[in-house]
Amino acid sequence: MSIRPIKRFIKSKPTLEGAGVHLRRAFGFGNTNDFDPFLLLDDFRNDVPEDYLAGFPWHPHRGIETITYVLAGTVEHGDSMGNHGVISSGDVQWMTAGSGIIHQEMPKGDPGGRMHGFQLWANLPSTLKMTAPRYQEVQATNIPEITDDDGTHVRVVCGNFWGKTGPVDGIAADPIYLDVSVSPGRRKTLPVETTRHAFAYVFAGSGKFCNASGPLAVPTEAIKWADTNPPVEADNRSLILFDRGDEVTVQAGDDGIRFLLVSGKPLEEPVAWYGPIVMNTQEQLQQAFTELQEGKFLKASGGM
């Protein structure tokens, strides 16, 4: 077994999206090859209603899948296929834009004004860029939860993990999407297939992610410190991108640690990307925007 070395450490950055929603972007746009098949991760946790209530009014998507995971508050969804729904604490919405969908997402806080959650974008392979749009809404009660003997708690949003299978299926990127909580002071090793790109995003507590295949020696003897890779400490809003290996090890801090652990098989295809449209070539991208202007964007069931 080999611990995945840490390739990059990132603190999510403040940004504005939609009609003026304040959020933090962990990664997205620019060169996202290291995250392939994922394109973007937004952390929209906010406790100030005026910073998020404007929401994300009607806008198009093509060529991607969006995964919205809500921790507090609610998000109301509507789209050009006629779907309407509200997801709340612990729920997941998975939307396959495929050939094209126009939708809106309008957030509302809980009684304390909190609107917390994440949105992840997964790329579609070239063979499925123009597939029919699809919408999945999963209630919290349908998401498997596992508690290990040492208290480690995992919600399996998507994929197979520790003998449980998440409820979201038919996703091209074949992702594993986990919500992991490790108890204070515990050291935990979690399996991740070698063929996958993987990252962790910390959103509560803190911990140290090991950065070597062997344990870090205690400095009581003459060792070559220059040859060791100390653990990387991560706290709230920290993203850790892992290199190759087949497991991830974390040492939880005094308050424990909670993080998303996401992995997927890379598509290794060219990306032509502008805003909510992600295709393989500039020609395909231009065609999508031309179709938007001409009212020919929506290809499958439904329209506005």
Side-chain angles (χ1 to χ4, degrees):
M1 305 294 283
S2 61
I3 295 175
R4 284 179 173 250
I6 290 163
K7 193 169 188 177
R8 204 183 312 165
F9 177 85
I10 302 166
K11 292 293 284 188
S12 57
K13 297 177 176 60
T15 189
L16 282 175
E17 278 296 347
V21 176
H22 294 252
L23 49 79
R24 287 180 176 260
R25 180 154 294 153
F27 68 89
F29 299 99
N31 186 348
T32 55
N33 288 343
D34 287 340
F35 295 93
D36 181 18
F38 306 108
L39 298 161
L40 174 150
L41 177 64
D42 280 346
D43 175 350
F44 57 80
R45 288 175 295 156
N46 201 312
D47 297 336
V48 183
E50 53 265 36
D51 284 350
Y52 61 75
L53 282 176
F56 305 89
W58 295 100
H59 59 281
H61 282 290
R62 175 179 286 180
I64 63 171
E65 300 183 276
T66 62
I67 306 99
T68 305
Y69 181 31
V70 174
L71 301 176
T74 61
V75 177
E76 183 177 354
H77 167 92
D79 65 41
S80 51
M81 294 189 296
N83 294 309
H84 294 279
V86 177
I87 55 172
S88 56
S89 179
D91 297 345
V92 176
Q93 175 211 96
W94 201 299
M95 188 185 76
T96 304
S99 61
I101 196 169
I102 297 175
H103 78 142
Q104 67 171 353
E105 298 161 299
M106 304 305 290
K108 289 184 180 179
D110 66 8
R114 301 180 309 156
M115 178 67 250
H116 291 187
F118 310 96
Q119 186 168 91
L120 177 69
W121 289 14
N123 202 4
L124 281 169
S126 56
T127 54
L128 295 175
K129 286 288 187 190
M130 299 299 286
T131 192
R134 190 164 70 116
Y135 174 80
Q136 299 181 67
E137 192 175 289
V138 180
Q139 301 301 308
T141 52
N142 293 323
I143 296 176
E145 301 193 26
I146 313 163
T147 301
D148 206 6
D149 293 341
D150 62 1
T152 299
H153 184 79
V154 179
R155 300 190 82 220
V156 185
V157 175
C158 185
N160 300 305
F161 188 78
W162 284 352
K164 298 287 187 178
T165 300
V168 180
D169 62 4
I171 306 305
D174 188 25
I176 295 175
Y177 188 126
L178 310 174
D179 176 350
V180 182
S181 298
V182 181
S183 302
R186 290 284 185 181
R187 179 184 175 99
K188 193 65 179 177
T189 296
L190 303 165
V192 182
E193 291 178 27
T194 307
T195 56
R196 295 171 169 269
H197 284 165
F199 66 85
Y201 185 72
V202 180
F203 61 97
S206 64
K208 293 182 178 180
F209 287 86
C210 291
N211 198 19
S213 291
L216 191 64
V218 177
T220 56
E221 58 190 53
I223 60 171
K224 296 180 180 179
W225 282 103
D227 294 338
T228 65
N229 291 311
V232 171
E233 188 158 12
D235 57 7
N236 187 28
R237 305 188 193 281
S238 297
L239 183 137
I240 300 92
L241 173 67
F242 299 103
D243 212 330
R244 297 291 180 172
D246 56 17
E247 60 186 21
V248 167
T249 298
V250 62
Q251 176 77 44
D254 293 341
D255 296 322
I257 187 171
R258 187 177 178 187
F259 56 95
L260 304 179
L261 181 59
V262 181
S263 65
K265 296 178 180 178
L267 301 178
E268 298 180 340
E269 294 183 352
V271 174
W273 183 358
Y274 188 84
I277 312 292
V278 184
M279 303 303 289
N280 296 109
T281 68
Q282 289 298 318
E283 291 77 15
Q284 292 169 339
L285 197 60
Q286 183 57 54
Q287 180 183 349
F289 282 98
T290 298
E291 290 176 357
L292 266 174
Q293 292 174 342
E294 295 177 351
K296 301 175 181 177
F297 183 74
L298 298 176
K299 304 295 183 186
S301 62
M304 292 179 59

